[in-house]
C-alpha cells in the first residue's frame, strides 16, 4: 500500500492511521503543492490533490475515506465504531467535523499566509479564519469535558480526523489559543506512539528545485 504525502498535509491522517493499526504503508513524499512542484503527480491524480492512496487496483483520494478503508479492510474494523454502538452518532459527527468544519479555515490560512504570491496575501482573511477555527472547537471541547476521546471511551478515527486539524492548527501557531481541555487532548494525542511514529515520517526532504 502506498500513500502520496506532503509534510503536514491530510495524508498525515493516513500515515497516523496506518501506524495505529500496525500496517505496512509506503510513504511517497512530494513537495507542496504538487500541482506546481511535481507535475508528474498529475498523472496519478489529475487534480493534484494530496493524499492519494493505492492498494492494488484500489485508488482513493479522500483522507477520511482512506482511513476508514485501512481500518475496515486491513484492520478488522479497529478504530471504527459500529452503527449499533451508542457512541456511533458521536463517531460520525466528529469523523466528519474534522475534515468538513475544522480544516477549511486552516486551509484558508495556509493559502493567504503562505501560498499566494506576496501581493495577493491577505492578513485580515488569515486572522478571520483563525478566529473561525478557534470558535469551531467549541463542540470538541464540550465533548471532551466528559471523557478522553471524542467517540466513546477509546481512541477512534474520529480522534484521527479532529487530531489532525489540531496538529495543523498548532503548525499555524494557533495552539496557544486552544482552551485547556483541547490543549490537554492535543497533548495526549501527540504522546501516542502511533502519532509519534507518524510525525517521524511527516517531513519530506526538499528536492534541488524545491
Ligand atoms: N477532502 C480532501 C481534501 C484534500 C486536499 O485539499 N488536500 C490539500 C493538501 S492537505 C491539497 O492537496 N492542496 C493542494 C492543492 O489543492 O493543489 C481530503 O480530506 O483528502
Amino acid at each position: 500500500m502506498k500513500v502520496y504525502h506532503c509534510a503536514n498535509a491530510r495524508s498525515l491522517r493516513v500515515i497516523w492511521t496506518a501506524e495505529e493499526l500496525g500496517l505496512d504503508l509506503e510513504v511517497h513524499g512530494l513537495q507542496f503543492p504538487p500541482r506546481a512542484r511535481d507535475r508528474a503527480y498529475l498523472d496519478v491524480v489529475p487534480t493534484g490533490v494530496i493524499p492519494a492512496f493505492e492498494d492494488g487496483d484500489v485508488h482513493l483520494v479522500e483522507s477520511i475515506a482512506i482511513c476508514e478503508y485501512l481500518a475496515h479492510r486491513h484492520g478488522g474494523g479497529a478504530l471504527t465504531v459500529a452503527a449499533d454502538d451508542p457512541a456511533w452518532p458521536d463517531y460520525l459527527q466528529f469523523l466528519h467535523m474534522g475534515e468538513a468544519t475544522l480544516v477549511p479555515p486552516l486551509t484558508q490560512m495556509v493559502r493567504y499566509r503562505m501560498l499566494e504570491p506576496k501581493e495577493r496575501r491577505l492578513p485580515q482573511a488569515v486572522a478571520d479564519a483563525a478566529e473561525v477555527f478557534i470558535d469551531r472547537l467549541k463542540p470538541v471541547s464540550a465533548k471532551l469535558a466528559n471523557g478522553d476521546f471524542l467517540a466513546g471511551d477509546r481512541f477512534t478515527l474520529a480522534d484521527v480526523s479532529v487530531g489532525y486539524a489540531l496538529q495543523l492548527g498548532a503548525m499555524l501557531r494557533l495552539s496557544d489559543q486552544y482552551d485547556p481541555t483541547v490543549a490537554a487532548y492535543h497533548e495526549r494525542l501527540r504522546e501516542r506512539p502511533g502519532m509519534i511514529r507518524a510525525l517521524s515520517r511527516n517531513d519530506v526532504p526538499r528536492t534541488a528545485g524545491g
Side-chain angles (χ1 to χ4, degrees):
M1 293 188 287
K2 170 155 117 178
V3 68
Y4 293 84
H5 166 69
C6 294
N8 299 312
R10 288 148 166 114
S11 39
L12 187 57
R13 284 192 181 119
V14 177
I15 300 172
W16 185 10
T17 298
E19 291 293 346
E20 293 279 352
L21 292 170
L23 301 176
D24 196 12
L25 178 70
E26 180 190 342
V27 176
H28 183 101
L30 297 168
Q31 299 296 313
F32 188 83
R35 79 170 72 237
R37 300 176 77 182
D38 196 327
R39 304 286 296 172
Y41 182 59
L42 300 181
D43 293 337
V44 180
V45 185
T47 56
V49 166
I50 288 284
F53 168 84
E54 293 166 352
D55 181 20
D57 291 342
V58 174
H59 182 87
L60 294 171
V61 293
E62 276 292 330
S63 62
I64 300 298
I66 300 165
C67 294
E68 286 234 295
Y69 173 92
L70 288 175
H72 283 292
R73 181 151 290 183
H74 297 287
L79 306 185
T80 66
V81 176
D84 60 356
D85 189 309
W88 188 57
D90 281 335
Y91 175 74
L92 286 181
Q93 169 141 294
F94 289 105
L95 182 69
H96 292 282
M97 186 184 291
E99 176 58 14
T101 298
L102 296 181
V103 171
L106 299 178
T107 61
Q108 292 299 302
M109 290 185 70
V110 170
R111 175 170 183 180
Y112 289 110
R113 180 194 277 174
M114 295 151 75
L115 287 186
E116 289 288 343
K118 283 208 165 50
E119 66 279 9
R120 294 197 79 241
R121 292 193 186 167
L122 298 171
Q124 187 59 58
V126 171
D128 290 351
E131 202 177 310
V132 167
F133 173 70
I134 294 300
D135 196 56
R136 287 181 177 188
L137 292 175
K138 283 176 184 161
V140 174
S141 187
K143 183 69 207 171
L144 292 169
N146 301 314
D148 284 350
F149 301 104
L150 292 172
D153 57 2
R154 65 189 173 88
F155 178 82
T156 68
L157 294 182
D159 301 294
V160 170
S161 179
V162 170
Y164 165 72
L166 295 177
Q167 184 62 22
L168 182 59
M171 201 275 282
L172 293 167
R173 302 192 297 274
L174 296 179
S175 52
D176 57 349
Q177 295 180 56
Y178 294 172
D179 75 24
T181 304
V182 171
Y185 169 66
H186 182 222
E187 201 44 46
R188 285 197 301 281
L189 294 179
R190 285 179 53 84
E191 286 168 358
R192 294 183 66 82
M195 175 59 134
I196 291 169
R197 286 195 299 275
L199 287 173
S200 77
R201 306 179 80 186
N202 181 41
D203 283 340
V204 174
R206 284 189 185 281
T207 57

